[in-house]
Amino acid sequence: MFTCSSSGIMKRVLMSRPTYLQAAPINEIAKKWSSTRLDCEKMEKEHQLMVEAYTKNGVKVEFLEPDAQRPNSVFSRDFGLCVREGYILGNFRESIRFKEKEAYKNKMKELNVPLIAEVKDGFFEGGDFTYLDAETLAIGQAARSDEKGVNFIRKALEPYGYKVICVPCHPKYLHFDLVFNMVDTKLAVACSPALPQDFLNLVKNKGIELIEVSEESVFMHGCNLQSIGNKRVLCLKQNAAVNEKLAERGYTIIEVDITETLKAGGGPHCMTFPLERE
C-alpha cells in the first residue's frame, strides 16, 4: 500500500542528494543566504545522516540521482503527493524546478507507482500537502500552490472518496509544512497565528492537539519534522523546544544535525517523499 496517512509506519521513501544545491532566492529563508556559497560537502554529510536514520529504523530509501540542471531536487517532497491508490504529479511555479517534474515522473514509473493525475491547470507542490485523517487531505495555498491547482487535485481525488481542504496562508511561509505538520493521528506542530481560524476549528473538531511553534521558530524550520510512525519522529537537533515537548509525550526523537541544507529553505520534511506507509 502507498501512503494512507501522515504518521503511519514508514516503509519506503524517495530522496535525492543535495550535490548541486545552492540557496536560490526563491523563498524567504534562502534569500538571506543567496549571496553565500553553500558547503556542498557538508550538505552531502547532512543528507547521509537522514538516510542512515531512515535505514536504521527500517525505512527503505529510493534515490533520484542528482543533476546540475535540477539543483533543488533534494526537496523531493515537492514534486507531488502520494495516496493509497498512487500519486498525483504536481506543477512547479519556479523555473529553477521545472526539470524536476519529468525526472520524478520517470523515477516513479521505474518504481511502479501508478500516476493518478498530473496537475496542468494551476500550480501545486507537495510541501503544501498533508493527511488530516485517512479520508481528509489538507492542501495549503501559500507561495507555490494556487486555487486552480487545489481544485484540480480535489476533482482528481473525488472518485476515490477523499475530501480536500484548501488552507490559505501568507505567501511568506512558502509551503504549508512550514506552519503545520502532522506528528501522529491526533497530534500536530503548528504556528496557529499563521493559520486561518476555520482550519484551526476543523483541526480542533477532529481532536488533533497542537504543539505551538512561534513565528520566529517557523523560519528556523520549527515545524519541519518527519513522522515515521510508531511514535518515532525525525527532528532537527536545533529544535530543542519542540523535541522536548514531543519527548514529554512519549515520542522517540531521532535527531539529525542539519544546518547547511536549511539555508536553501527546506528541512527533513521537505527532503522526504513518502512512498509507502503501513
Side-chain angles (χ1 to χ4, degrees):
M1 181 182 289
F2 302 110
T3 59
C4 53
S5 74
S6 290
S7 58
I9 297 175
M10 192 88 83
K11 304 302 292 184
R12 190 162 63 129
V13 300
L14 178 55
M15 303 182 75
S16 186
R17 296 188 300 277
T19 309
Y20 303 101
L21 180 65
Q22 289 299 319
I26 56 174
N27 62 71
E28 294 303 315
I29 296 171
K31 285 176 184 177
K32 298 176 182 179
W33 300 97
S34 59
S35 61
T36 303
R37 186 75 183 171
L38 299 187
D39 186 334
C40 291
E41 183 177 351
K42 185 176 182 181
M43 289 191 293
E44 292 275 12
K45 290 179 179 178
E46 291 177 347
H47 195 264
Q48 186 58 30
L49 288 176
M50 280 192 58
V51 172
E52 291 173 358
Y54 280 132
T55 55
K56 287 178 181 177
N57 283 276
V59 181
K60 182 178 181 181
V61 182
E62 307 281 4
F63 293 96
L64 174 70
E65 288 304 309
D67 189 307
Q69 294 189 347
R70 40 179 173 76
N72 281 54
S73 60
V74 62
F75 302 125
S76 59
R77 168 78 54 167
D78 293 333
F79 77 85
L81 66 86
C82 208
V83 290
R84 289 185 292 271
E85 296 80 5
Y87 83 103
I88 290 180
L89 185 65
N91 196 25
F92 289 106
R93 187 184 288 269
E94 298 288 346
S95 60
I96 193 174
R97 308 204 66 179
F98 286 173
K99 290 185 180 295
E100 294 177 44
K101 187 170 181 175
E102 194 65 23
Y104 274 113
K105 184 177 183 179
N106 292 336
K107 185 65 184 181
M108 294 292 270
K109 184 176 181 180
E110 177 188 322
L111 296 173
N112 296 313
V113 182
L115 176 63
I116 295 174
E118 180 177 341
V119 178
K120 294 181 179 179
D121 186 17
F123 298 102
F124 167 75
E125 295 185 11
D128 286 318
F129 164 75
T130 191
Y131 276 93
L132 293 181
D133 57 41
E135 309 301 333
T136 311
L137 315 180
I139 299 179
Q141 185 185 331
R144 298 293 177 81
S145 300
D146 65 5
E147 188 175 1
K148 284 186 177 180
V150 176
N151 286 336
F152 180 94
I153 292 170
R154 181 180 287 118
K155 291 177 183 177
L157 290 178
E158 193 174 298
Y160 302 98
Y162 294 104
K163 181 179 182 180
V164 175
I165 306 297
C166 183
V167 188
C169 302
H170 194 285
K172 68 180 179 180
Y173 297 121
L174 178 63
H175 285 139
F176 187 45
D177 65 1
L178 209 63
V179 292
F180 184 88
N181 202 338
M182 292 295 291
V183 178
D184 212 333
T185 54
K186 297 296 182 183
L187 182 65
V189 289
C191 178
S192 289
L195 297 165
Q197 190 59 50
D198 59 349
F199 175 71
L200 293 173
N201 293 341
L202 173 66
V203 166
K204 183 178 180 181
N205 290 339
K206 286 184 173 294
I208 299 172
E209 179 189 358
L210 299 182
I211 293 177
E212 289 291 341
V213 172
S214 68
E215 171 86 6
E216 181 182 11
S217 295
V218 161
F219 294 101
M220 296 175 66
H221 302 276
C223 289
N224 211 279
L225 47 77
Q226 179 61 67
S227 170
I228 61 173
N230 199 21
K231 295 185 78 73
R232 298 166 300 162
V233 189
L234 201 68
C235 299
L236 291 170
K237 185 177 181 179
Q238 69 181 29
N239 287 334
V242 170
N243 297 351
E244 183 178 348
K245 291 175 183 177
L246 288 171
E248 288 172 354
R249 288 166 171 80
Y251 288 85
T252 298
I253 307 305
I254 305 163
E255 289 188 341
V256 285
D257 192 5
I258 295 176
T259 55
E260 193 73 2
T261 310
L262 304 183
K263 296 175 183 178
H269 194 258
C270 310
M271 296 159 71
T272 305
F273 188 89
L275 290 170
E276 295 178 23
R277 289 185 186 267
E278 287 185 2

